Amino acid sequence: MDATLLHIQPAAPQPIYRQIAEQIRRLVAGGQLAVGDTLPSVREVAAAHAINPMTVSKAYSQLEAEGVLQRQRGKGMAVATQAAGSDTPAQRWTLIEPSLDAVARQARELELSPDEVIARLSQRMRQQ
């Protein structure tokens, strides 16, 4: 995995360490990171995004405590064997539900129709 694949938004209300942790959880659950894949070092991620290394370390430590990552001596962090079970559809939906709830709430507040929101989401998904 390349450190630049992470999308960090410093101005977002969510702390940066949570942004990192959630993105890695999604990459593992979606199968884009497989068991044994190594992650970029704390220093690489910090340098690529101009953030404090302790922020990256906090995200990695949290994921290690959850069993998503495991520390490999001399190699850094890798996707843990236990993380392989996190790719069920129900678990993937659990990861995206909070974002869907936020979009639905914001769309209602802006009085946007569900059809318009779905069309825009479909368009965005095809662009990515």
Side-chain angles (χ1 to χ4, degrees), residues 50-72:
I51 58 176
N52 189 319
M54 290 303 294
T55 301
V56 181
S57 182
K58 185 173 183 176
Y60 280 12
S61 293
Q62 181 180 6
L63 292 168
E64 183 180 23
E66 293 172 12
V68 176
L69 300 179
Q70 63 187 18
R71 197 172 304 272
Q72 292 184 333

Side-chain angles (χ1 to χ4, degrees), residues 20-98:
I20 295 168
E22 288 183 9
Q23 287 179 56
I24 292 172
R25 275 190 213 101
R26 287 191 298 266
L27 290 168
V28 170
Q32 293 167 337
L33 284 176
V35 172
D37 284 353
T38 58
L39 273 69
S41 73
V42 167
R43 287 188 180 125
E44 287 174 317
V45 175
H49 296 285
I51 58 176
N52 189 319
M54 290 303 294
T55 301
V56 181
S57 182
K58 185 173 183 176
Y60 280 12
S61 293
Q62 181 180 6
L63 292 168
E64 183 180 23
E66 293 172 12
V68 176
L69 300 179
Q70 63 187 18
R71 197 172 304 272
Q72 292 184 333
R73 192 173 292 257
K75 293 183 181 179
M77 296 298 251
V79 177
T81 307
Q82 304 91 296
S86 67
D87 60 356
T88 66
Q91 289 168 321
R92 285 186 277 172
W93 278 109
T94 300
L95 293 173
I96 199 168
E97 288 294 339

Side-chain angles (χ1 to χ4, degrees), residues 91-111:
Q91 289 168 321
R92 285 186 277 172
W93 278 109
T94 300
L95 293 173
I96 199 168
E97 288 294 339
S99 297
L100 293 175
D101 291 342
V103 167
R105 179 181 38 76
Q106 292 169 10
R108 278 193 305 273
E109 292 169 355
L110 294 167
E111 296 183 355

